[in-house]
Amino acid sequence: ITVAANFISTVTGALPVSWTTNSVGGNMAGAGATYTNGTFTVTGTGTNISGNNDNFWYVSQPFTNAATLVARVVSQTGTNSKALAGVMMRESLAPGSRSVFIGLTSFSQAQWVHRTSTNGNSSTTATTSGKPAPYWMLLTRSTNEFSG
């Protein structure tokens, strides 16, 4: 899967300072991320953001307390029916950590996926059809409340 997403930043070339790229749940050959002219391009594989054991490639920046992530998924190419692209906040980088995700499926659905207990099952609580890329997303954390 290759995903291009716009974030607001002023650095060009390598990933901006404090941003990292890696995998959750295992090694993924050929995966990586670049940053050019305000756009992260993430190329990765993985099997899921669901169940109790996530497996995906990401670009991230650490934060504590309140935060708002705004991203625009520009495109998804080479995807399968379970592919997702979007923004996520996680308890940790462990495969079963508590998390919340808002993003797009490869078949133009917006989804809200969350896991409320460590190593618990993920739940998809909202699916909206007819949302092809490009599409803007917003995910906000205020204390322990999340909205998107």
Side-chain angles (χ1 to χ4, degrees):
I1 180 175
T2 300
V3 175
N6 295 120
F7 289 84
I8 297 169
S9 182
T10 58
V11 179
T12 301
L15 295 181
V17 174
S18 80
W19 289 87
T20 60
T21 185
N22 209 331
S23 67
V24 167
N27 294 326
M28 297 175 196
T34 59
Y35 181 83
T36 305
N37 297 325
T39 299
F40 287 96
T41 300
V42 181
T43 302
T45 60
T47 56
N48 65 319
I49 298 175
S50 64
N52 62 2
N53 191 8
D54 297 335
N55 181 266
F56 62 92
W57 193 263
Y58 67 90
V59 172
S60 72
Q61 183 179 49
F63 69 91
T64 56
N65 304 318
T68 297
L69 298 173
V70 178
R72 180 176 179 240
V73 174
V74 176
S75 64
Q76 283 181 282
T77 58
T79 63
N80 67 42
S81 63
K82 293 185 179 183
L84 296 169
V87 292
M88 175 183 277
M89 293 183 186
R90 296 182 67 82
E91 171 184 41
S92 74
L93 296 177
S97 76
R98 296 183 298 169
S99 61
V100 60
F101 169 87
I102 188 167
L104 293 179
T105 68
S106 59
F107 46 94
S108 302
Q109 287 185 331
Q111 288 191 344
W112 176 268
V113 181
H114 67 281
R115 181 181 299 118
T116 59
S117 62
T118 303
N119 297 319
N121 281 319
S122 293
S123 297
T124 300
T125 57
T127 300
T128 305
S129 297
K131 305 294 181 189
Y135 193 75
W136 284 97
M137 313 192 179
L138 176 130
L139 182 59
T140 299
R141 176 185 178 187
S142 176
T143 315
N144 287 322
E145 292 183 24
F146 297 87
S147 60

